[in-house]
Amino acid sequence: MNYTLHQLQVFLKITQTKSITKAAEELHLTQPAVSIQLKNLQDQFEIPLTEVIGRKLFVTDFGKEIALAAENIVNEVHSINYKTLAFKGILSGKLRISVVSTGKYVMPYFLSDFTNNNKGVELDVDVANKLKVIKALKNNEVDFALVSTLPSGIEVESEVLMDNKLFLVANQKTELNNPKRANEFLSNTSLIYREEGSATRIAMESYLNKQGIKARTKLQLTSNEAVKQAVIAGLGVSIMPLIGLKNELENNSITILPSKGLPIITNWTLIWLKGKKMSPAATAYLDFIKKEKESIKNKNFSWIDSF
């Protein structure tokens, strides 16, 4: 057997994604390169690792066994690398964070200085909707999660990073000069929602219910960027987090409409399982956040205070 660590890493990613194309994307390789690595690994076994049925890739039972062994090998290699760095006095290990989708506008600023100053820390960030983020946290698959509302049914500890403000927004041609008429306006306007499970969707629905507003027509989209572009195009209005609208507000492609009870203010909060035994990398990151969060916020997000 002459399989390489790289072949095992590629095969492991294939088993996780169930797709050559997706594996290539996540590994930042070309699709042919991934296919070649899979073939080279397969050539060393008489039993198939994968099979394709109806253009869909399946991992065989034997392949699953090899994938489990590959995962153990890859983890051991990472452990050796981390221990080597630790003996050299360098902070090392993997820092795993799950981020709700709109949090992608926030989290990078609270990571950049830490990762730049700790090159031995491997960063693994997953961006998903709230349901998937909380599931990853419950399953102890991540060290931290970034959310805008605290989850129920799970005991967590938390560190507030900054305010999250949600406003009613429309394109530049839309006018609503009288906030008292906002309910009437919203009852007769197309409303653009995020997908089910999104914290922004939950906040928007809660606001509309409190105001007794029933949507005339709805449009549902699966990302903050998609909602933003739909608003700019004039497909409707939406309640959106301010954090992702800086450029659009500056170039006047989106406007904030006055409305009773808005903005909705929550908090961008870093959470972790209560009682979790943190790795050295996670402990160091939490210490960094507690010390530096105010300066990070003031440096990068002071513009939010003007709204």
Side-chain angles (χ1 to χ4, degrees), residues 59-220:
V59 181
T60 64
D61 289 341
F62 177 69
K64 291 175 183 177
E65 292 292 331
I66 298 301
L68 181 61
E71 184 175 16
N72 291 333
I73 292 170
V74 170
N75 287 339
E76 286 299 321
V77 171
H78 284 315
S79 178
I80 292 171
N81 293 337
Y82 297 150
K83 288 176 181 178
T84 301
L85 292 171
F87 268 90
K88 294 168 66 176
I90 300 172
L91 180 66
S92 61
K94 180 175 285 190
L95 182 63
R96 302 165 300 168
I97 303 176
S98 189
V99 179
V100 293
S101 55
T102 309
K104 66 188 176 190
Y105 300 108
V106 176
M107 201 69 233
Y109 295 95
F110 288 89
L111 284 168
S112 58
D113 285 347
F114 179 79
T115 55
N116 287 336
N117 293 331
N118 297 282
K119 300 295 186 181
V121 174
E122 182 182 348
L123 185 61
D124 185 352
V125 178
D126 180 50
V127 179
N129 70 23
K130 184 180 178 181
L131 291 178
K132 292 181 180 179
V133 168
I134 300 307
K135 182 180 179 182
L137 188 69
K138 280 184 176 180
N139 293 340
N140 199 28
E141 297 170 356
V142 295
D143 299 302
F144 300 102
L146 181 71
V147 296
S148 58
T149 55
L150 293 179
S152 59
I154 177 175
E155 288 191 289
V156 299
E157 297 182 69
S158 61
E159 186 73 23
V160 174
L161 302 185
M162 56 183 283
D163 286 346
N164 178 40
K165 298 180 180 181
L166 294 92
F167 288 87
L168 176 64
V169 296
N171 71 1
Q172 77 278 14
K173 296 179 181 179
T174 307
E175 293 185 1
L176 178 60
N177 297 321
N178 187 353
K180 293 182 180 180
R181 300 192 63 185
N183 286 12
E184 178 186 346
F185 170 79
L186 289 171
S187 296
N188 293 284
T189 302
S190 296
L191 300 179
I192 305 172
Y193 289 76
R194 282 288 306 277
E195 78 283 6
E196 294 283 352
S198 162
T200 300
R201 167 76 173 252
I202 294 169
M204 182 172 174
E205 289 182 329
S206 176
Y207 172 78
L208 295 173
N209 288 335
K210 286 180 181 178
Q211 298 298 320
I213 299 168
K214 293 185 178 180
R216 180 175 64 87
T217 56
K218 296 181 181 179
L219 174 62
Q220 177 177 299

